[in-house]
Amino acid sequence: MRKRLLLIFSILLLYGCSLNMPMTERISSLEARFEHIDSLSDEEVARLVEEYNLAVSKFKEKADKLTEQERGDIRLSMNLINGILMKKKMTELEMRFEHMDSMSENDVSSLVEEYKETVSQFKEEGDGYSDREKEAICQSIGRINGMLAKRNIDSSLKDIGDFLNSIPD
């Protein structure tokens, strides 16, 4: 309970402090912090994502009051942040796929569906991501596709072996 209150307080404090900051600076500041997402704890990442979601909401509310240049700068930063988040999600999916041999068929099916949705999202939004993020995401996609292909080949070989064993001598 104490951690939860501390988390809420820190979000409110950060949000309150950022109210006086111009929108472009706020999003730019978040972008700089997202660059170090791999060194953050899960709790810190959750707080950062929450702060980002709040900033995106404020941007949507105030977009018409910003200049075209400011809106463009903010959208660029948002695309870069979304690329970082996509890379993190894809890396987490890849780690889960590495353990699919110990998963039930239903769990594997759910994981594959989540993977397809994530790849689809990447195809839709990926143009705005940095080259570094796109490369890392594509590498994860390649490794996951390789794991899926291997699983299908192994399954096919087992099915062929079962079939051959069922043929009478």
Side-chain angles (χ1 to χ4, degrees):
M1 181 67 170
R2 186 170 183 248
K3 280 186 175 183
R4 197 173 196 87
L5 288 173
L6 185 59
L7 176 65
I8 292 170
F9 177 73
S10 63
I11 289 171
L12 289 173
L13 182 63
L14 286 170
Y15 184 67
C17 290
S18 67
L19 285 177
N20 297 328
M21 187 185 303
M23 183 64 64
T24 52
E25 288 180 33
R26 188 180 324 163
I27 298 286
S28 204
S29 166
L30 285 170
E31 180 188 339
R33 291 168 49 206
F34 267 98
E35 288 289 330
H36 304 287
I37 199 169
D38 293 332
S39 65
L40 301 176
S41 70
D42 290 343
E43 189 175 293
E44 291 169 320
V45 170
R47 276 195 306 249
L48 188 58
V49 168
E50 182 66 26
E51 189 178 344
Y52 172 63
N53 289 335
L54 287 170
V56 168
S57 294
K58 286 295 175 188
F59 169 67
K60 288 177 180 177
E61 289 173 15
K62 299 180 178 194
D64 59 332
K65 297 175 184 164
L66 300 171
T67 67
E68 189 60 39
Q69 178 66 42
E70 290 171 324
R71 284 192 299 270
D73 290 346
I74 290 170
R75 284 190 185 103
L76 178 63
S77 290
M78 288 169 55
N79 283 338
L80 294 174
I81 291 170
N82 289 337
I84 292 167
L85 289 171
M86 177 61 72
K87 180 181 96 174
K88 183 169 180 54
K89 183 175 184 176
M90 194 61 77
T91 300
E92 291 168 356
L93 277 172
E94 185 180 345
M95 289 174 19
R96 289 170 52 203
F97 268 102
E98 289 173 356
H99 301 288
M100 76 176 151
D101 289 338
S102 63
M103 298 168 80
S104 71
E105 285 303 315
N106 285 340
D107 289 343
V108 171
S109 293
S110 295
L111 184 60
V112 169
E113 281 307 309
E114 183 180 350
Y115 170 65
K116 287 178 181 178
E117 290 171 13
T118 304
V119 169
S120 177
Q121 182 183 356
F122 170 62
K123 287 179 180 178
E124 289 174 20
E125 301 172 359
D127 289 342
Y129 299 173
S130 72
D131 289 342
R132 184 181 67 201
E133 309 309 336
K134 284 192 265 191
E135 182 178 334
I137 292 165
C138 287
Q139 287 175 352
S140 286
I141 289 171
R143 287 189 290 268
I144 291 170
N145 286 345
M147 287 184 260
L148 287 170
K150 181 183 181 302
R151 179 181 172 91
N152 289 334
I153 289 170
D154 290 346
S155 176
S156 295
L157 289 175
K158 182 186 176 301
D159 290 344
I160 292 170
D162 292 345
F163 172 73
L164 292 176
N165 287 335
S166 69
I167 298 174
D169 292 328

